[in-house]
Amino acid sequence: MLKFLIFVLIPITLILLAVFYEGMMELYKQEKEEEKNIVREGMEGYLDQKYGRGKVKIFKSILDAEGNERYLIYLPHYEWFKAPKYQWYEVYATHNGYQHREIQG
């Protein structure tokens, strides 16, 4: 009975686990690919187009005197074994879309 358990049930279990793992990885890859193909609109779409998806972080949103919304964003640059350096930008809406300018610190 013990030999049956060792030589039959354990390999079957391992094969089923491998199939399950492969299916889960395929679903994960498909989900990531679909996430890349989502087109966002507005300011998030502009940031995705300009810097790449998920590269910049929104730090703060500011209302200016005219009632327009401006965003303060930062772009981290990582180096090997060093603290990240940040580039700061201000993103604002214009009549032609969105514009950005770098903030000197």
Side-chain angles (χ1 to χ4, degrees):
M1 186 67 182
L2 184 60
K3 290 180 182 180
F4 175 76
L5 179 69
I6 292 174
F7 292 111
V8 175
L9 292 180
I10 291 179
I12 291 173
T13 304
L14 291 176
I15 291 170
L16 290 175
L17 281 174
V19 169
F20 175 75
Y21 178 75
E22 184 178 331
M24 292 298 290
M25 290 306 295
E26 187 66 34
L27 286 175
Y28 176 76
K29 288 177 186 177
Q30 182 181 4
E31 183 179 301
K32 287 294 183 183
E33 192 64 35
E34 288 175 1
E35 185 178 294
K36 287 180 187 177
N37 293 331
I38 293 175
V39 176
R40 299 197 291 182
E41 295 178 359
M43 199 268 309
E44 287 89 6
Y46 173 76
L47 292 175
D48 289 348
Q49 179 184 7
K50 193 71 178 169
Y51 301 106
R53 187 174 184 91
K55 300 267 177 147
V56 295
K57 306 286 186 215
I58 299 174
F59 180 70
K60 187 184 242 185
S61 63
I62 305 166
L63 287 175
D64 63 1
E66 298 171 355
N68 298 327
E69 197 166 20
R70 294 175 175 256
Y71 297 94
L72 187 62
I73 63 169
Y74 63 92
L75 178 66
H77 290 283
Y78 298 101
E79 293 183 30
W80 189 257
F81 288 119
K82 292 184 180 178
K85 295 180 183 177
Y86 299 102
Q87 286 183 318
W88 292 86
Y89 296 96
E90 182 180 14
V91 180
Y92 52 93
T94 62
H95 298 295
N96 298 331
Y98 287 93
Q99 298 289 323
H100 73 282
R101 65 179 177 154
E102 187 173 358
I103 299 173
Q104 301 296 326

